[in-house]
Amino acid sequence: MNNQIRTKRLVIDKPAQMRHWVAESEAADTGRLQAEEAVQESEEKYRSLVESIEDSVYLVDQKGTYLFLNKKYQARLDLPEDKVIGRTYGEFHSVERTREFTEKLKRVFETSRPVQYEHTSERDDHSFLRTLSPVRDQEGQITAVTVISKDITERKQTEKELHESEERYRSLFEQNLAGVYLTTLEEEVLDCNEAFVQILGYDSRKDVLSHRASEFYYDTPDREKFITQLFKQRSLTGHECRLCRKDGSPIWVLENSNLIAGKNGTPPLLQGTLVDITKRKQSEESVRRLNQYLESIIDNAHVWLNVLDKEGNVLIWNKAAEEISGFTREEVIGHNKIWKWNYPDPAYRSTLAGQSKEIVESGKVLEGFETTIHCKDGQTKTISWNQHRLLDEKGDPIGSISLGRDITQQKNAEERVQYQADLLQHVSDAIISTDLKFNIKSWNKAAETIYGWKAGEVMGKAVHEVTQLEYSHDRMEDVVDTLFEKGFWEGEVLQKRKDGVVISVFSSVSLVRDKDGNPVGTVAINRDITERKRAVEALRTSEARYSELVERSKDGIVVIQDSVVKFVNSAAIELFGYSLEEITEKNFLEFVPVNSHKFVQKRYADRMAGKPAPSIYEIKLLKKDGSIVPVELNAGRVDFEERPADLVFIRDVTERKQAAEKLQKALKSTIQAIGLTTETRDPYTAGHQKRVAQLAYAIAKEMGLSEIQSEGIHVAGLVHDIGKMSVPAEILSKPSGLTDMEYRLVQGHPQVAYDILRTIEFPWPVAQIVLQHHERLDGSGYPHGITGEEIMLEARILAVADVVEAMASHRPYRPALGMDAALEEIALRKGNLYDSDVVDVCLRLFAEKDFQFEN
């Protein structure tokens, strides 16, 4: 214990010893500067690192002409970069200071070795440690000198204080940012400062002194190697090693140490300083990885990337450019023939070449510009381009860089969507959408025909002002109340055409809601029933006029009394294919398929009894040849020969049904095309989306969800991985595990899918379902980490189906795990990751319902 006290007193009573420690700390700074200089000498992509350090950094040639200076040095000069570059050191400093700097600069060029010296600022009393290091070209010739000027004012002041006062020395020891320690060779810790305590994460100095020195090393053999090397050299400077914090975590330090003689022949002691360089090591590793990433991103980017010189010759041509165009880099680099190959039309090529030249000369930036290219295999593709010019270190234009994205499939999908929109324009009913203030938002061609107004004339106007509508039985306020209370309203209204003619319209109005169920507008389907109304009116006023109108009506007209057909017009006869004698006096159910008897009979009975019953609905009827014809019925109770009867208007809706089927097929084709877009980039998961959609649909139906809701889940399953178009194909098919950066790219695919799908007007919340299909109940999913009921039921169903199919199928990084393993996984984690009800239904499908994926 006495030896320990005498040793501690030796440290406290000898300021010379502390000065020696400060010198060693300075040596540690020198080591850091050398590491920083190595970063300075990297290429332009590390400029941001240079700008972030606290030291002044600049680059000069042999004459002292400034070639580069960072923002810190600009601030010292109080001048912007463009006022300094190209001028000499002597233009900003005194003759004496310039002479000193020139001598040091000359020595670097003569000796090829770095030079370091201290100087005092001419502008204030700050002291600086200036380091001049040679910069060599590829042949090893010195072309410039990097100057790093570190503000050492505080350190100089510390040295002064050490000389002036022993008490101030002790304060410096305690407040030093570097950890300072003193130990015996037997690993006993004699003393340390607070910085040492903080660096290693201990509670106090007392806590540190209670441990052996070897306990501070992350790898114990490192301590033995360190002592062996120290005995050989007597001192070590800039020694990097890993220590262990109290919590067990590793920490990198830069250590300077030396052996000092003990008193009165006692064994030597080990004293040293250490600086936490963990962040620096992490930064160096990040820079290394970033460098590798930047070097590979060009070649592995999933977008076409090429660099051209001013004459349009190809300098860089990445793999994506090869894959999209079919031309290899060996075929295109070094000349501009690719222009002729991609754009064989001279006029088109000339226009594009002129535009590219303008970008280089004027600095114009091109974004989202689309061109059609001819590929090597004869295909044509649509490419969306972003292009801007490249400048050399002097700011002169040297060429351009272009990023191209193949949007051929997207354009094809847009054309299919437009085709669907065109189909809507050809229905015979007016389809009108409005906002909640009933201002018109859309107006199809049928509306133009019925009302005489063009879409451009009515957009944004109130619908009741355009049509001057009048309700037959209800007040407008009552209609609006019913619409918002029940979500729909239907009935007959009187409206005016543009030419002032009054028409009768049967209107069916529904609320339109957003994905959260909030009303955002209305959509009305209006049918001109003027002719039909006139026919009914004619029946009431004149049998002669009635007969004429009825016979001329395009719709079939039937009168049913006591369940027997009493009257049919020519259109009805033609529709059914029977003669007049074959139809009349027959029970009307003979013309209705057996499976619809109960339904039709009830509605007929309700009308005859005066009970409420829908007047317009669709059913299928039987023709004489046994074929089925879809029709729309408009039925109402009338008096026929002074007795109650059912007057039925029959319209053949075969063509309308066919148009709807075409629209549905077009929608499914679009969905399949979108799904195939993903799977063509990842052959290992071909069919994955289709099988997930099959299982998700089966789960939804088993859970009792409606057909509409189940169909929405099926559609979402078909396109749930479309976002993987943004992930490089090399990552999707990688046979080994993903890096953190690659995994983050993959995790972004639900958001990318959402951004694509939300632009398509599906009748289901497809985009939202796909966005959430990787979320988990406990919040561990992505991309937003939502939990529990925040996740849509549809997304929870899709998540279980996705996991089961993925585990049961082969992947590039593993063989198929099998269906038993997949079902065991969801059973084990239900209620935690997966919805319990969904998992139970899925397990029942396989165990009891013998569910099988379709080929």
Side-chain angles (χ1 to χ4, degrees), residues 604-611 637:
Y604 170 75
D606 287 342
R607 280 193 296 275
M608 292 301 96
K611 297 179 181 179
R637 176 173 165 168

Side-chain angles (χ1 to χ4, degrees), residues 271-373:
Q271 68 175 11
T273 62
L274 53 85
V275 177
D276 183 355
I277 60 169
T278 303
K279 290 185 178 179
R280 194 198 79 190
K281 295 289 284 187
Q282 291 171 345
S283 297
E284 291 174 351
E285 178 63 17
S286 296
V287 168
R288 185 188 66 80
R289 291 182 179 178
L290 178 61
N291 186 34
Q292 291 179 341
Y293 177 71
L294 292 175
E295 290 173 353
S296 65
I297 193 171
I298 291 178
D299 215 31
N300 295 318
H302 65 281
V303 295
W304 177 328
L305 186 150
N306 65 256
V307 175
L308 309 177
D309 64 16
K310 295 171 66 175
E311 287 70 39
N313 298 313
V314 179
L315 302 179
I316 295 177
W317 190 263
N318 74 341
K319 288 183 180 178
E322 290 183 325
E323 293 172 357
I324 295 173
S325 70
F327 295 101
T328 67
R329 65 188 66 184
E330 290 77 13
E331 292 177 300
V332 302
I333 287 180
H335 54 77
N336 60 8
K337 295 179 183 178
I338 189 63
W339 287 87
K340 184 175 181 180
W341 297 340
N342 281 161
Y343 307 108
D345 179 23
Y348 189 39
R349 181 170 66 249
S350 177
T351 299
L352 296 178
Q355 184 171 262
S356 182
K357 182 178 180 181
E358 181 185 359
I359 290 172
V360 175
E361 294 177 350
S362 68
K364 174 185 175 182
V365 176
L366 195 66
E367 293 183 351
F369 180 72
E370 297 180 6
T371 69
T372 300
I373 69 164

Side-chain angles (χ1 to χ4, degrees), residues 412-424 658-676 708 711-716 718-719 757 759-766:
N412 292 339
E414 290 174 354
E415 291 174 1
R416 285 191 288 271
V417 171
Q418 183 60 47
Y419 173 71
Q420 297 170 28
D422 291 341
L423 287 178
L424 287 177
Q658 291 173 345
E661 289 175 1
K662 288 181 180 179
L663 180 62
Q664 185 68 15
K665 289 180 179 178
L667 177 60
K668 290 185 177 179
S669 296
T670 301
I671 293 168
Q672 291 174 353
I674 292 173
L676 288 174
I708 293 177
E711 183 65 21
I713 295 172
H714 184 264
V715 170
L718 290 174
V719 295
L757 296 173
T759 63
I760 303 175
E761 294 184 0
F762 290 108
W764 318 279
V766 173

